[in-house]
Amino acid sequence: MTAPTTTAPEAAPASAPDSAAAPKALYVYGIAPAGIRAPRSRGVDGAPVRLLTEAGLCAAVSDAPPRLRPRRRDLLAHQAVLDELAAQGPVLPMRFAVLSPRTDTLLAQLRTDATHLAQQLDGVRGCVELNVKGTVVPGHFADLVRRDDKLRTLALRTRRRPDYEANVRLGEAIALGVRREARRAAREVVDLLAPLAVRTVQGATDDEQVLSASFLLRSTDETRFREAVAERTRACGDRLALSLTGPLPCYSFVDPRPAAPTGR
């Protein structure tokens, strides 16, 4: 499969009607073990989805549209196809807008990478992905000032001798303390949830979203995981606002292509 792209190849020029029609690019949704049923859901741009089978594997594909944009209806169609595949067993999901230039290229990749792909499928068999995000709760500063001696001293000093610079210093110190407390709570959340998962991947964070983690879970552990997230939401809700998304296709835990060999 090629790297993600936002535009499918253009159609053959109208000025060459006698030339052989160029093979259509394929839009690739995911890879699964051979023997599954083709999804009934229509794919991107309303195209029917079919399966290409090779080496004990199959790729769910449709004809790529002339132009490919991340429109909501196409994003939902992509997800619906993956949901149907996942309902039948393990699937290696492709992100939106992954194309293969032609059928024989894709089949060759399935043959070449068959062992690696089969191992990836085994790794997510019976599993789902859930994502937990956590954002700073700004209103936490009052309790923080009461508990932090340095902040309390700075607040009292500012109240006695208020001026612009003192207020700025106090505001910056409080904001830093609130983020520090939220990050500490985020680490506690991951420490509690990670043992419930097969694998955990940490995502990018910033000053506001201090937690972003994906968890690969056995489907049988999903209820227990949700209960643990709910417990942590109650325990740290004054510092960290948690949100849970999923179950999702296992995007964060698959690599459709083998790693490139290291230099000799």
Side-chain angles (χ1 to χ4, degrees), residues 90-110:
V91 59
L92 306 184
M94 300 295 151
R95 296 192 181 275
F96 183 82
V98 170
L99 304 180
S100 183
R102 45 193 290 166
T103 298
D104 56 353
T105 301
L106 181 54
L107 292 174
Q109 288 185 357
L110 292 180

Side-chain angles (χ1 to χ4, degrees), residues 27-32 36-51 59-62 73-89 91-94 249 251:
Y27 185 101
V28 187
Y29 299 88
I31 298 170
I36 65 169
R37 301 181 307 276
R40 294 182 178 180
S41 298
R42 288 277 174 165
V44 169
D45 203 38
V49 179
R50 61 189 186 276
L51 301 178
V61 304
S62 64
R73 67 183 183 187
D74 286 335
L75 293 169
L76 292 175
H78 179 96
Q79 184 62 44
V81 170
L82 287 174
D83 287 344
E84 282 200 50
L85 294 173
Q88 300 182 63
V91 59
L92 306 184
M94 300 295 151
Y251 287 112

Side-chain angles (χ1 to χ4, degrees), residues 3 14 39 90-91 93 97 102 112 135 138 151 167 175 191 209 213-214 217 224 233 251:
V91 59
R102 45 193 290 166
T112 301
T135 55
L151 280 178
N167 284 328
D191 289 344
Q209 183 176 285
S214 294
L217 297 168
R224 185 166 62 135
T233 299
Y251 287 112

Side-chain angles (χ1 to χ4, degrees), residues 144-211:
L144 178 63
V145 170
R146 284 194 296 270
R147 291 188 292 104
D148 189 302
D149 291 340
K150 291 183 178 180
L151 280 178
R152 188 167 60 253
T153 300
L154 182 59
L156 289 173
R157 187 182 304 150
T158 303
R159 185 183 303 170
R160 290 168 184 160
R161 301 184 62 180
D163 60 45
Y164 175 77
E165 291 186 359
N167 284 328
V168 169
R169 285 195 300 270
L170 177 61
E172 290 175 343
I174 289 175
L176 182 62
V178 168
R179 289 197 296 272
R180 183 175 61 247
E181 290 282 304
R183 290 188 182 280
R184 181 180 297 126
R187 290 193 295 270
E188 293 172 357
V189 169
V190 174
D191 289 344
L192 176 75
L193 297 180
L196 304 178
V198 178
R199 291 170 58 195
T200 303
V201 172
Q202 299 263 16
T205 60
D206 54 35
D207 285 346
E208 297 303 319
Q209 183 176 285
V210 295
L211 170 62

